[in-house]
Amino acid sequence: YIALEVCGCWTHLFPGSFLPVCASTKQRRVLISLSDQMGRGFDPFRPTPLLQLEEKAESIALGTHAIYIGTSQGSIQHYELPPETANDDSSASACVSPPRRKATAKVSKKPVEQLCLVGDFLVALSDGGVFVLGAEDVCASAPSSVTRDVKCICPHTLPTSSGGSEDYTGPMEVCVAARKKLILYAASGRHLALEARQEFPTPDVALTVAWHGSWIVAGFKAKYCLYSATSGIPRDICPLDGKTTPRLALLPPSASTQPASQGELLLVVSETISQFYRLDTQQMSARNSITWPRRVGPIAAVGPYILGSPGGGQVDVFTLREQRCSQTLALPGTILELAFHKSRIIVASDTALTVLERLPFERLAKQLLLQGRFGDALDLLNTTYSSEDPERSKWLHQLHALSGWQLFRELAFEKAFRHFLFSKTVRLDKILSFWRSFLPHDWTWDSKGAGDDGSPETCDLEDLVRSQLQSKAGGASVDASAVAACVETANSCMAAFLLRYREAVLIGGQADGKEVDKILSPIDTLLIKLLILLDEEDDSRLQKLMRSQVRCTTDEALETFLREKKRRDVLAKLCRTQKKYEQALQEWNGVLDEASEDLAQGVRTSRMTRQQIVAEMVSVLSLAAGSPELLRRFIPRLIHVDSAPVLPLLAPRGAAASLPVAEVLELLKSTPDLSLQYLEHLVLKRPQEADPEHSLQLAKGYLSKLQAVCERSPDELDRQPSVLATRRKLQRLVAEAPDLDSGSLLPEVEKAGTMLLPEKVSLCRRANKHREAFLALVQDLNDLSRAEVYCRLLMAEGDGEREAINTKNDAVSLFAEKLPLWATPVVFPFPKKKTQPSAAFPSAGGAQEDSSLPAADLGSSPAASDLVDDTARPLILFLATLLCTWTAADQRVRVLPKVAAEYKDAAISLLMGYAGHSDLPPHEVLAILPDSWTLESLGGYLSKCARLHLHERRASLLEENLSSMVYLKTYSAWAQERSAKVTMDKEKCCPTCNRRFVGQDNVAKAFVAYPNETCVHLQCKEDLSICPKTGRNFTDNLSIYCSTLAASSPEPPSS
């Protein structure tokens, strides 16, 4: 709001509000005047009287340092103008000194109707005649008459790269509108002489004309026409009603909106309407038309403004951007003409000359901002500078800075900082100076030129707020709560501004690392303090700031502030950023003690949970990898609070790698689960760094967990997911660990009886106790499919071909959920109703000890000798196990899962499936088969073996005969190729180099002979298989049998 003191009374006026009813009449008049002033548009021009005329002026022409006035008496008065004075705005002129008359020339006895400058010439129109005078001194020579019967004249202007126009700098040319024709004149070599270059016919005499570039626009009484300056072809632009006097004005270069524009004109199409016309498109412009209050007289386009006189001494100023009236001037006399040169504008009336001084942009902007009219200031900027003008960007930033400081002074902090965000020229150190007590002690700023941007005098923010509130209250005291609330608002806006500013600095990447640290160090210090003072509940902005790379230093003041505010967590994060790891861990340890006390008392004052604090300490320890003392000091505390996040720290490649493995295991002694996980990382993921004893410890840890489950609830072994995962890990360890001592683990497994039979089988396989493994699979687990898989795995371990295809046989677990194709059982496939994963850990299949029957005596079987040796071939060992189990079932030695007939069928199926296999020779199989089995039951197996052996014999005979035949044919083809000869005489030449093969010394050179008897030198050949003379390719010329001869083949017999 605005506070006014009128007649000793303070009154507050809000923009847009009604006047106070209690105001006095005088007070209301002042407020109404102020309200009207605030509602008006900005006034870009200030009229200044320049010269009182002795004679009535009829025309005027303006140059750089001269002004020419054509009077009603037919004379031309030449005045010298002082140079334009520089000020804050480059586009403003300050021609306020009176001009000095230099000369007066008499042209005729009639009024001088028109004047125009054409280079060094001054062209005058008087009584229908065109006269040429010297522009330097109109009295230096007598006027030169060019032609008669002329209505109007105009100089030639050229388009510029910016799309506007400027004074013509080439040959001096002028267009003359005579009776029903246009004549183009150019300067000749003679002094003050113009000669006609070209003329075009017109339908009527032109009342106004403009020649720009290659186009001429002529205004007649009935219409506007466009003529080509080269061909003279006319084109109608728009009609007139006959009552309107045609007038036109060429827009300056800065007014063009297209870079390739050939110019734009303003045409008066009716008494009160003017429209814009583009020469490049030859169409009306997209700009809105200008509506004058009355019938318009002379018009002119200067910079971003259109000036026109609707009669009398009134001059209306319209903005070119929005085509709305910005200012109305009342000048003495009747306006006859508007003259301008670059930015200098002179209004000629019948009795006086007036200079329109264009006010500096900065002065106008400051006046508008002081009134709180930022929108009007932005309109002024858009009006003064085009969008392509580089000055617009500079002034836009300054405008935001000025507006921001004005709002800052008025305590409108939210709007002020919004303007600061859009300004590149605002000084950050000036803003920071109002929070000097929050910044580091060594922070300094340059106060030189600080007040030039409209900023208030530097002081503490609280003092500024208090003084401004007291000023608004008329000097009365201000409540402390109001000051505190305003300061809190300022702190909140400042924090949001600095966060945005900091993000822009980091993303911009325009400065190097040291420069960024220098910029952000005070910003981060202030941000931390402000965000803590604001005491936000979610604390998200502060946490986001701390997650980024904070540049501030933890000096004594900042550390004291954080401890007073009980934010040791922020202090710890700052110490971590500055690589003060020990101090950071000490601070986190203190925060953890406070959180533990809160947990014991049942309250929560800490912003972080104990798990979050442990995670932060683990991250600091991971950075302090080279400090084993810190690890020994803090890891036990972390394990006691939360052991899960500590595991990555204890990985072999983690921060605890500097500690010996034995010491790490000693630290983890109190947490068996964490110790087991550490051993898993060590043995399974980094086996090259693990010792055999570590694998044994890991396996014993798995077995301990499984034994505990067996004692607690045996049913969980096949149902609990965690237990199943432990069993899979043990199977993987047994399959992959290279130096695992399985012999020491078997006794531990056997203590569990039949509950851990799969683990027992895996350990027996690792210890090469295949006999016990087959007995457990067949008799205890009743899993013939896994027994066959066991055989295939053992056969693959000694198969060299399997190793050739890079198959890791030792990494395949017997009870794996997914087996490779080569390990899948063929004779005893897995049941279709049960998926393979469910069969990964089968339970005991009904093989329970019967106290009424004696134990199985495998030595009583005829095949007992085959089961004693664990080095026997896998299939024969599997078959012997089936036969022994059949004997035990037949004699009822034990209670087995199947009857004797089922084991007999299984043995016969195994023989049929692997008949002819090298592990099951028929003579060894027949030696261990029971004598009680009939020949009929073995007929299928014996027939299959006979057929396979007969097939092998016949195949070997065929291979032997074929090999003999191939050898004979190969030898014959070889002998035929070697019998080929080439006759070489002294006259024979190489077709490539035309030199003889045999020299004068009767010594032949090395040569290559092709099958078509073409010979070339060895060095002349390009391809051994292609004849260089004919181009024939002899790659497939040899017999197919020749390719069977290897380089190491022995020489054939010479017979």
Coordinates of all heavy atoms in Angstrom, one line a residue, residues 93 152 167 188 195 236 356 371 391 475 500 541 700 739 757 774 851 891 894 896 984 986:
S93 N 17.3 11.3 -26.4 CA 18.0 12.5 -26.8 C 17.7 13.6 -25.9 O 16.7 13.7 -25.2 CB 17.5 12.9 -28.2 OG 16.1 13.1 -28.2
C152 N 4.9 16.5 -54.8 CA 5.6 16.0 -53.6 C 6.9 15.4 -54.0 O 7.1 15.0 -55.2 CB 4.7 15.1 -52.8 SG 4.3 13.6 -53.6
D167 N 19.1 6.0 -43.8 CA 19.3 7.0 -44.9 C 20.2 6.4 -45.9 O 21.1 5.7 -45.7 CB 20.0 8.2 -44.3 CG 19.0 9.0 -43.4 OD1 17.8 8.8 -43.6 OD2 19.5 9.9 -42.6
S188 N 24.1 13.8 -60.5 CA 25.1 13.8 -61.6 C 26.4 14.3 -61.1 O 26.6 14.6 -59.9 CB 24.6 14.6 -62.8 OG 24.5 16.0 -62.4
E195 N 19.7 14.6 -62.4 CA 19.3 14.3 -63.8 C 18.3 13.1 -63.7 O 18.4 12.2 -62.8 CB 20.4 13.9 -64.7 CG 21.3 12.7 -64.2 CD 22.4 12.4 -65.1 OE1 22.7 13.3 -65.9 OE2 23.0 11.3 -64.9
D236 N -2.3 -2.2 -56.9 CA -3.1 -1.6 -56.0 C -2.9 -2.1 -54.6 O -2.8 -3.4 -54.4 CB -4.6 -1.7 -56.3 CG -4.9 -0.9 -57.6 OD1 -4.0 -0.1 -58.0 OD2 -6.0 -1.1 -58.2
L356 N 10.8 16.8 -28.5 CA 10.3 15.8 -27.7 C 11.4 14.9 -27.2 O 12.0 14.1 -27.9 CB 9.3 14.9 -28.5 CG 8.0 15.6 -29.0 CD1 7.1 14.6 -29.7 CD2 7.3 16.3 -27.9
Q371 N 5.8 3.0 -7.8 CA 4.4 3.0 -7.7 C 3.8 1.6 -7.7 O 2.6 1.4 -7.6 CB 3.7 3.8 -8.9 CG 4.2 5.2 -9.0 CD 3.6 5.9 -10.2 OE1 2.7 5.3 -10.9 NE2 4.1 7.1 -10.5
E391 N 19.8 -5.6 -26.1 CA 19.6 -4.7 -24.9 C 18.4 -5.1 -24.1 O 18.3 -4.8 -22.9 CB 19.5 -3.3 -25.4 CG 20.7 -2.7 -25.9 CD 21.8 -2.5 -24.9 OE1 21.4 -2.2 -23.7 OE2 23.0 -2.8 -25.1
G475 N 5.8 5.8 12.8 CA 6.7 6.0 13.9 C 6.4 5.4 15.2 O 7.2 5.4 16.2
R500 N 16.9 -22.8 -5.1 CA 16.8 -22.7 -6.5 C 18.1 -22.2 -7.1 O 18.6 -22.6 -8.2 CB 15.6 -21.8 -6.9 CG 14.3 -22.3 -6.5 CD 13.8 -23.4 -7.5 NE 13.6 -22.8 -8.8 CZ 12.5 -22.1 -9.2 NH1 11.5 -22.0 -8.3 NH2 12.4 -21.7 -10.4
R541 N 13.6 -30.8 2.9 CA 14.5 -29.9 2.2 C 15.9 -30.0 2.7 O 16.9 -29.9 2.0 CB 13.9 -28.5 2.2 CG 12.6 -28.3 1.4 CD 12.3 -26.8 1.2 NE 12.2 -26.1 2.4 CZ 12.0 -24.7 2.4 NH1 11.9 -24.1 1.3 NH2 11.8 -24.1 3.6
K700 N 29.4 -76.6 8.6 CA 29.0 -76.9 9.9 C 27.9 -76.0 10.4 O 27.0 -76.4 11.2 CB 30.2 -76.9 10.9 CG 31.1 -78.1 10.7 CD 32.2 -78.1 11.7 CE 33.2 -79.3 11.5 NZ 34.3 -79.3 12.5
D739 N 37.9 -77.5 -1.7 CA 38.7 -78.2 -0.6 C 37.9 -78.5 0.6 O 38.4 -78.5 1.7 CB 39.8 -77.2 -0.2 CG 40.8 -76.9 -1.4 OD1 40.9 -77.8 -2.3 OD2 41.3 -75.8 -1.5
L757 N 19.1 -87.2 4.9 CA 19.6 -88.2 3.9 C 20.2 -87.6 2.6 O 21.2 -88.0 2.1 CB 18.6 -89.3 3.6 CG 18.3 -90.3 4.7 CD1 17.2 -91.2 4.3 CD2 19.6 -91.1 5.0
F774 N 24.6 -94.9 -2.9 CA 23.6 -95.7 -3.6 C 22.6 -96.4 -2.7 O 21.4 -96.5 -2.9 CB 24.3 -96.8 -4.5 CG 24.7 -96.2 -5.9 CD1 26.0 -96.1 -6.2 CD2 23.7 -95.8 -6.8 CE1 26.4 -95.5 -7.4 CE2 24.1 -95.2 -8.0 CZ 25.4 -95.1 -8.3
S851 N 12.6 -103.9 14.3 CA 13.4 -104.5 15.4 C 13.2 -106.0 15.5 O 14.0 -106.7 16.1 CB 12.9 -103.9 16.8 OG 11.5 -104.1 16.9
Q891 N 14.4 -111.9 1.0 CA 14.7 -112.7 2.2 C 14.0 -112.0 3.4 O 14.2 -112.5 4.5 CB 16.2 -112.8 2.4 CG 16.8 -113.6 1.3 CD 18.3 -113.7 1.5 OE1 18.9 -113.2 2.5 NE2 19.0 -114.4 0.5
R894 N 15.1 -106.7 5.8 CA 14.6 -105.3 6.3 C 13.3 -105.0 5.7 O 12.9 -105.6 4.7 CB 15.6 -104.3 5.8 CG 17.0 -104.3 6.5 CD 17.9 -103.2 6.0 NE 17.3 -101.9 6.2 CZ 17.7 -100.7 5.7 NH1 18.8 -100.8 4.9 NH2 17.2 -99.6 6.0
L896 N 11.6 -102.7 3.5 CA 12.0 -101.8 2.4 C 10.8 -101.1 1.8 O 9.6 -101.7 1.9 CB 12.8 -102.5 1.4 CG 14.1 -103.1 1.9 CD1 14.8 -104.0 0.9 CD2 15.1 -102.0 2.3
M984 N 60.6 -77.3 -70.4 CA 61.1 -75.9 -70.3 C 62.3 -75.8 -71.2 O 63.3 -76.5 -71.0 CB 61.4 -75.6 -68.8 CG 61.8 -74.1 -68.6 SD 60.4 -73.0 -68.8 CE 59.4 -73.6 -67.4
K986 N 65.0 -73.0 -73.6 CA 65.7 -71.7 -73.4 C 64.9 -70.5 -73.9 O 65.1 -69.4 -73.4 CB 67.0 -71.7 -74.0 CG 68.0 -72.7 -73.4 CD 69.4 -72.6 -74.0 CE 70.4 -73.5 -73.4 NZ 71.7 -73.4 -74.0

